[in-house]
Amino acid sequence: MRWVCHLPRASWGPGLGRVLQSADGRIPFLIHWSWPHKGERPLGLSRAFIRHHGSSAGSGPPSRRHGQLFQGISASEAVQRYRRNLAEWFSRLPREERRFGPTFALDTVHVDPVIRESSPDELFRPTAELALEHQPPLAGLPALALSQLFDPDACGRQVQTVVLYGTVGTGKSTLVRKMVLDWCYGQLPAFELLIPFSCEDLSSLGPAPASLCQLVAQRYTPLKEILPLLAAAGSRLLFVLHGLEHLNLDFRLAGTGLCSDPEEPEAPAAIIVNLLRKYMLPEASILVTTRPSAIGRIPSKYVGRYGQICGFSDTNLQKLYFQLRLNQPDCEYGAGGAGISATPAQRDNLVQMLSRNLEGHHQIAAACFLPSYCWLVCATLHFLHAPTPAGQTLTSIYTSFLRLNFSGEMLDSTDPSKLSLMAYAARTMGKLAYEGVSSRKTYFSEEDVRGCLEAGMKTEEEFQLLHVFRRDALRFFLAPCVEPGRQGTFVFTVPAMQEYLAALYIVLGLRKTTLQRVGKEVAELVGRVGEDVSLVLGIVAKLLPLRALPLLFNLLKVVPRVFGRVVGKSREAVAQAMVLEMFREEDYYNDDVLDQMGASILGVEGPRRHPDEPPDDEVFELFPMFMGGLLSAHNRAVLAQLGCPIKNLDALENAQAIKKKLGKLGRQVLPPSELLDHLFFHYEFQNQRFSAEVLSSLRQLNLAGVRMTPLKCTVVAAVLGSGRHALDEVNLASCQLDPAGLRTLRPVFLRARKLGLQLNSLGPEACSDLRDLLLHDQCQITTLRLSNNPLTAAGVALLLEGLAGNTSLTHLSLLHTGLGDEGLQLLATQLDRNQQLQELNVAYNGAGDTAALALAQAAQDHPSLELLHLYFNELSSEGRQALRDVASTAKGGARVVVSLTEGTAVSEYWSVILSEVQRNLNSWDRSRVRRHLELLLRDLEDSRGDTLNPWRKAQLLRVEGEVRALLEQLGGPGS
């Protein structure tokens, strides 16, 4: 599949329209590249770029060419200063974009969304059906390249005013930002001056009069010198009016008078109206962006061309967006300038998996139709696979995502209620999302959607707000289901968004029962009048025999208190439901929630349902995570900017209710994946005091088998690293840990008494981190299990440095760590540097007689060592006998375990040996294990033949049976 081809640098001006025609007829887009450091790129120089050709890219260039307007030295310098200032302003990325690396910039790489030309008849056609509003734009509509926006129309008339419209999330702001930057870098030669205006900024000025020249000079000081030249600029002057929905325009002459003088003070809305009327600066070019609901604010006779921003309607656009975003050279840049970068091969693999999922999973492709959701997918993958900056959570990514798209915008600027768009979405879409979570469904019928959107509507204003929301934002949250057999239903654009909105609906207190809605008003009313009525009746009762009445009215004072208890019970019920969802028992253990999220994006199928489970049963494990995350201080501050404030008292009461329920159910022993989900909830909550109180009873951290990615290591370290109580055991066996993970988890290891790191492929480089851990003055590890890791002799040399300075370790397992003769010789010569070790396991290390005997002799001289495991090494019969002799002749020395027998008796450690074999049967070399088991079997048979004791014979026969069973599992003869 060919996505791109390399061409020389072109521009958006004359000559850009005449390009090669693609054979496949795909949709056009531009992808711009620049040098990594902006300082190396002077303004006005050309840059390399990649163009994907489409059917709309074949039109000829405009026929006219202009001479330079600002030819004077002072005017030219003013324009250059203006370009630099404008480029600096528009290059400033929000914090959410800076997570992709310090050199990531919008002008580094960009994919333009598809723009399709539309007609006024199509725009103002009534849409009566909900489903129609969710359909992608018709394929028959002509596509427009950015260079073609101001080309003559079909009748040959020159186009001076272009209106680009698109729903929330289609990329209007990014497109304007990129267009301005391209002009700053000299890539729009058709326009000698570009002046962008934010309609949101202009609306904040209200009706205060100001002239067009004043508006320009206040915002762009370098242009003061050339303001008199604006009238002569003609079509080479381009005004960009972004976000027209923020302005309430009145094109009636009775509402907005005519004005042609750019220096005449008028209300900002009046200036915009006269610019669009072409009464002020009639030859100037104007580009307007707006949401669909505000298109009708400009009469169509003043518009030369309408263009619908359709997002990434071609899957190839989505793929290239992901490829360029995720393949940034410093995309994996860690917090504070540090971190482990993914290799190019790892990044390519990530992109390939995502591309395959886009091809095979059409619902994800439908979601990524909106560029905003492509951004969310990239941000989520970056969160899952890159080193995570301190304090960044999954909830904060989703909250920031909504801030990027809504940023506190009003639903309808003409509505006096000034209701924020996000608040309306939380009330309507949040209700639908929560009902879906409650009834465990992710597919919604049209009746379900209408029921939540139109619930409780009574006034014309409410229906008008609903109409605006349906046109502008409904497609952002809901998408038509494209799965076979589900046609006609709707799903949330991203599954996790349903759980986020459901959690938001709860923490905002929007879920109210009938008793709560009615009772609150009644309780407040009764509470206000109760005291006055009781006082009056108290006076009357002194004159009349009505002493019982004041008592009755005193009971009215209790009503508000009773209502408060009802609300508290409701919070507890919600907390109970949340905790039960978190600890929901299944017939099988599924993956942890982070792996599930990664699998849903990359296309790896998640855990399959149990055959006996209902097919429509859904798991909503992110719902409690988001609930906890939304209660954190950072997310509450961002939500307040979006018009969705969460009161401190409500957050406190919700947190107390959750803590009460977690305290009861959180003490149970959880499977490793569920335990990680529990810790992830605390990580999302970002409240160390809360987590310390809830997790104070946790004594064993068993995450065996959980794939510990950098993010999971960060989660565990952030939640448990600051605790004070010791952990009896930390089991991280078979977790795919690496040295970076060991460094991240060191605060947790310092709290552990027993630490299990088996089966993690830890090499010699990891031993330097283990050495530092053992030498730490707060280390309290008594048992360290490192079996089945390729440590080698180089690694054990580093471990011995740590053992020399450690005073807590008593049990060390180096089973199957590839030490060989060299490693055992090192242990023999330096074992005496540690005076506390009681048990050392170096079994199955390929050591010969000489090294094993040297270590056994050193063990006999050690003051504290009690047990040395040497079985499954490459020992001869003579070597095994020599080791037995050393152990038997020493007085009070360490016991040496080399076989299942001790003389003619069964060794008391036979079960330990066989259990290690059984546990590692699938990971060890089967032929080698079979050979060792056959030797042990011969030892057992020889010992049984040498003894006459029937009790010992019976014991030996029993162990022989166990060994034969293992041999049969290995495919051996068993005898």
Side-chain angles (χ1 to χ4, degrees):
M1 181 178 295
R2 189 182 180 196
W3 289 350
V4 296
C5 57
H6 296 271
L7 292 175
R9 177 65 183 171
S11 68
W12 286 359
L16 181 62
R18 183 178 293 122
V19 294
L20 298 174
Q21 177 71 26
S22 172
D24 57 6
R26 292 185 184 135
I27 300 169
F29 63 94
L30 296 174
I31 305 160
H32 307 272
W33 294 86
S34 70
W35 287 276
H37 304 288
K38 294 182 198 172
E40 300 177 9
R41 183 194 62 233
L43 290 171
L45 294 181
S46 61
R47 297 173 293 161
F49 83 106
I50 306 172
R51 166 176 282 278
H52 177 92
H53 302 292
S55 58
S56 65
S59 62
S63 59
R64 66 184 188 282
R65 281 190 172 272
H66 303 292
Q68 188 171 357
L69 175 65
F70 309 108
Q71 295 182 349
I73 296 178
S74 61
S76 179
E77 290 179 350
V79 172
Q80 287 302 315
R81 286 199 310 272
Y82 171 64
R83 286 179 188 264
R84 286 193 294 270
N85 293 348
L86 201 62
E88 181 182 0
W89 174 256
F90 276 85
S91 296
R92 292 178 181 175
L93 295 174
R95 183 184 60 188
E96 291 80 5
E97 291 283 25
R98 294 198 296 271
R99 69 163 49 93
F100 289 101
T103 65
F104 179 84
L106 185 65
D107 58 333
T108 302
V109 58
H110 175 69
V111 181
D112 287 329
V114 173
I115 302 174
R116 295 190 181 275
E117 187 170 2
S118 57
S119 65
D121 294 338
E122 296 167 347
L123 287 176
F124 302 111
R125 181 186 303 158
T127 55
E129 294 296 328
L130 181 69
L132 293 177
E133 298 180 12
H134 284 68
Q135 295 298 325
L138 297 176
L141 295 176
L144 288 172
L146 289 175
S147 60
Q148 299 172 313
L149 292 180
F150 289 93
D151 284 358
D153 60 15
C155 298
R157 292 188 296 265
Q158 185 62 41
V159 173
Q160 291 182 304
T161 301
V162 176
V163 174
L164 298 181
Y165 66 96
T167 60
V168 174
T170 49
K172 299 184 294 296
S173 299
T174 305
L175 191 65
V176 167
R177 183 190 294 268
K178 188 62 182 64
M179 192 173 186
V180 171
L181 287 175
D182 273 355
W183 178 83
C184 293
Y185 300 140
Q187 305 307 319
L188 283 176
F191 302 106
E192 294 193 24
L193 186 61
L194 183 149
I195 302 177
F197 279 116
S198 166
C199 294
E200 184 179 10
D201 172 38
L202 296 179
S203 67
S204 66
L205 302 177
S211 68
L212 176 62
C213 292
Q214 287 175 334
L215 292 177
V216 174
Q218 288 172 359
R219 285 151 184 78
Y220 310 112
T221 305
L223 295 184
K224 284 183 177 180
E225 303 177 22
I226 61 173
L227 286 176
L229 301 176
L230 291 183
S235 61
R236 289 167 290 177
L237 170 63
L238 174 62
F239 287 102
V240 178
L241 307 177
H242 178 53
L244 188 74
E245 66 273 4
H246 294 282
L247 286 176
N248 190 12
L249 304 181
D250 187 354
F251 278 80
R252 297 174 304 149
L253 288 176
T256 304
L258 298 175
C259 178
S260 62
D261 187 359
E263 297 184 0
E264 179 71 23
E266 293 280 352
I271 294 176
I272 299 301
V273 166
N274 281 293
L275 280 174
L276 292 170
R277 283 172 172 166
K278 292 302 177 183
Y279 202 78
M280 184 183 293
L281 302 179
E283 294 186 358
S285 300
I286 302 175
L287 177 67
V288 179
T289 66
T290 183
R291 298 203 304 248
S293 64
I295 295 176
R297 297 183 189 179
I298 306 177
S300 59
K301 64 180 179 180
Y302 298 125
V303 179
R305 173 172 286 127
Y306 290 98
Q308 182 181 5
I309 302 177
C310 301
F312 297 154
S313 57
D314 186 352
T315 306
N316 290 327
L317 297 183
Q318 302 170 9
K319 291 179 180 178
L320 262 175
Y321 181 96
F322 294 132
Q323 183 182 18
L324 298 174
R325 279 265 176 168
L326 296 175
N327 274 329
Q328 284 292 300
D330 50 4
C331 182
E332 310 295 332
Y333 210 82
I340 304 299
S341 295
T343 64
Q346 290 172 327
R347 291 196 293 264
D348 288 341
N349 182 58
L350 205 66
V351 173
Q352 289 175 9
M353 293 177 68
L354 186 54
S355 297
R356 284 195 299 268
N357 199 28
L358 285 172
E359 294 172 359
H361 198 314
H362 302 294
Q363 197 62 56
I364 292 179
C368 294
F369 169 79
L370 295 174
S372 292
Y373 278 98
C374 292
W375 181 94
L376 181 60
V377 168
C378 289
T380 304
L381 287 177
H382 193 263
F383 173 72
L384 293 174
H385 295 277
T388 305
Q392 185 182 99
T393 65
L394 183 64
T395 311
S396 70
I397 288 178
Y398 273 73
T399 306
S400 300
F401 167 69
L402 294 175
R403 188 179 71 84
L404 283 174
N405 285 278
F406 295 99
S407 62
E409 291 187 14
M410 291 178 293
L411 178 59
D412 185 3
S413 61
T414 63
D415 186 71
S417 66
K418 305 301 179 185
L419 181 64
S420 80
L421 181 54
M422 190 61 227
Y424 192 90
R427 192 178 71 197
T428 54
M429 293 292 97
K431 177 180 174 62
L432 181 67
Y434 181 73
E435 289 182 357
V437 171
S438 301
S439 57
R440 315 200 68 77
K441 68 177 183 179
T442 57
Y443 304 95
F444 303 93
S445 66
E446 186 170 331
E447 290 72 22
D448 295 332
V449 179
R450 288 186 184 278
C452 289
L453 290 175
E454 300 176 2
M457 289 197 173
K458 300 177 181 178
T459 64
E460 180 63 28
E461 291 76 12
E462 290 174 335
F463 278 99
Q464 175 60 28
L465 290 177
L466 173 59
H467 174 72
V468 172
F469 180 78
R470 286 175 58 175
R471 293 203 65 186
D472 292 348
L474 186 59
R475 179 62 180 87
F476 181 84
F477 293 103
L478 290 180
C481 183
V482 296
E483 295 180 13
R486 297 281 187 177
Q487 284 76 12
T489 61
F490 300 90
V491 294
F492 278 85
T493 313
V494 169
M497 184 59 73
Q498 176 181 352
E499 298 176 69
Y500 179 92
L501 290 174
L504 181 62
Y505 184 71
I506 294 300
V507 298
L508 288 176
L510 298 175
R511 177 185 176 270
K512 292 182 174 66
T513 63
T514 304
L515 176 62
Q516 288 176 307
R517 288 194 297 268
V518 177
K520 183 177 181 180
E521 300 177 1
V522 173
E524 291 176 352
L525 177 63
V526 171
R528 285 195 300 268
V529 304
E531 293 184 4
D532 297 336
V533 173
S534 298
L535 179 62
V536 172
L537 289 179
I539 297 173
V540 174
K542 293 180 180 179
L543 305 175
L544 299 173
L546 299 174
R547 298 185 181 274
L549 289 180
L551 178 62
L552 294 176
F553 278 94
N554 281 333
L555 294 176
L556 297 177
K557 300 177 183 179
V558 184
V559 173
R561 215 173 307 162
V562 172
F563 176 74
R565 290 183 177 273
V566 171
V567 174
K569 290 294 183 182
S570 176
R571 295 187 194 279
E572 290 186 7
V574 171
Q576 176 79 5
M578 189 211 77
V579 173
L580 288 175
E581 184 65 48
M582 188 186 304
F583 299 115
R584 186 168 177 253
E585 295 183 1
E586 303 287 344
D587 294 334
Y588 60 100
Y589 294 150
N590 55 6
D591 293 335
D592 62 81
V593 68
L594 293 175
D595 278 352
Q596 290 181 45
M597 172 162 279
S600 68
I601 294 175
L602 296 177
V604 180
E605 291 297 331
R608 289 182 290 181
R609 293 189 178 97
H610 190 278
D612 297 332
E613 190 176 80
D616 292 332
D617 190 33
E618 299 286 348
V619 177
F620 296 96
E621 291 185 293
L622 277 176
F623 169 63
M625 314 301 170
F626 283 137
M627 241 189 109
L630 289 171
L631 293 176
S632 68
H634 168 75
N635 285 306
R636 285 192 285 123
V638 177
L639 286 171
Q641 299 173 15
L642 293 172
C644 300
I646 301 174
K647 297 178 181 179
N648 291 329
L649 182 59
D650 291 340
L652 177 62
E653 290 177 349
N654 276 313
Q656 288 175 343
I658 293 172
K659 182 168 67 174
K660 181 178 179 181
K661 298 302 178 182
L662 278 178
K664 293 179 179 179
L665 294 176
R667 295 189 184 96
Q668 60 185 333
V669 179
L670 298 173
S673 60
E674 294 299 313
L675 178 57
L676 183 66
D677 289 347
H678 187 193
L679 297 178
F680 185 60
F681 166 81
H682 289 278
Y683 177 77
E684 290 292 310
F685 197 16
Q686 295 282 300
N687 188 321
Q688 290 186 354
R689 181 179 177 182
F690 174 92
S691 299
E693 293 178 3
V694 173
L695 297 173
S696 60
S697 61
L698 182 66
R699 289 294 182 267
Q700 291 187 337
L701 179 64
N702 180 17
L703 297 176
V706 174
R707 185 173 60 93
M708 293 300 291
T709 62
L711 172 61
K712 295 176 188 176
C713 293
T714 301
V715 167
V716 175
V719 175
L720 296 177
S722 59
R724 296 182 179 179
H725 69 278
L727 296 170
D728 294 337
E729 183 176 5
V730 174
N731 184 2
L732 294 173
S734 189
C735 289
Q736 302 181 35
L737 276 172
D738 56 11
L742 295 180
R743 289 190 291 272
T744 303
L745 291 169
R746 182 180 296 177
V748 181
F749 295 162
L750 292 174
R751 295 177 52 195
R753 291 196 174 97
K754 294 181 180 180
L755 177 59
L757 297 173
Q758 313 94 295
L759 289 164
N760 277 294
S761 300
L762 297 173
E765 64 279 3
C767 291
S768 61
D769 298 294
L770 294 173
R771 174 198 60 193
D772 297 340
L773 173 65
L774 293 173
L775 292 175
H776 199 283
D777 57 357
Q778 296 180 9
C779 179
Q780 51 185 322
I781 297 174
T782 60
T783 301
L784 178 60
R785 294 187 290 270
L786 296 172
S787 57
N788 297 298
N789 287 295
L791 303 180
T792 71
V796 84
L798 296 170
L799 281 178
L800 285 169
E801 296 178 15
L803 285 174
N806 181 269
T807 59
S808 64
L809 193 65
T810 59
H811 296 73
L812 175 63
S813 175
L814 298 174
L815 169 74
H816 191 215
T817 51
L819 302 184
D821 288 339
E822 183 183 356
L824 264 66
Q825 291 285 3
L826 279 172
L827 284 169
T829 56
Q830 301 186 41
L831 190 61
D832 58 346
R833 297 175 65 185
N834 180 282
Q835 301 296 310
Q836 287 79 33
L837 200 61
Q838 298 175 11
E839 181 179 351
L840 176 63
N841 189 340
V842 288
Y844 197 19
N845 271 292
D849 294 348
T850 304
L853 191 58
L855 181 57
Q857 290 172 344
Q860 303 307 314
D861 300 332
H862 196 277
S864 61
L865 195 63
E866 299 174 356
L867 188 62
L868 175 64
H869 299 263
L870 284 170
Y871 50 87
F872 273 36
N873 279 294
E874 302 302 317
L875 304 174
S876 63
S877 300
E878 295 78 10
R880 290 198 298 275
Q881 186 58 46
L883 289 171
R884 293 192 187 99
D885 293 342
V886 169
S888 61
T889 57
K891 296 181 181 179
R895 301 186 64 176
V896 180
V897 181
V898 294
S899 178
L900 296 175
T901 61
E902 292 181 2
T904 58
V906 174
S907 171
E908 62 180 286
Y909 298 103
W910 72 267
S911 60
V912 174
I913 298 174
L914 295 184
S915 64
E916 285 287 357
V917 176
Q918 182 68 55
R919 188 181 304 115
N920 298 286
L921 206 57
N922 294 325
S923 59
W924 287 356
D925 183 355
R926 300 175 74 86
S927 61
R928 188 175 173 186
V929 172
R930 185 186 302 114
R931 178 166 53 85
H932 282 292
L933 286 175
E934 289 171 351
L935 290 174
L936 293 177
L937 186 59
R938 278 200 294 271
D939 282 347
L940 289 168
E941 292 171 345
D942 292 343
S943 297
R944 182 163 52 85
D946 293 341
T947 182
L948 299 176
N949 188 320
W951 175 247
R952 288 186 176 179
K953 284 181 178 287
Q955 286 183 313
L956 289 166
L957 281 171
R958 177 192 172 192
V959 178
E960 284 180 36
E962 298 284 347
V963 175
R964 287 193 174 92
L966 288 174
L967 283 170
E968 289 178 359
Q969 291 184 44
L970 290 170
S975 62

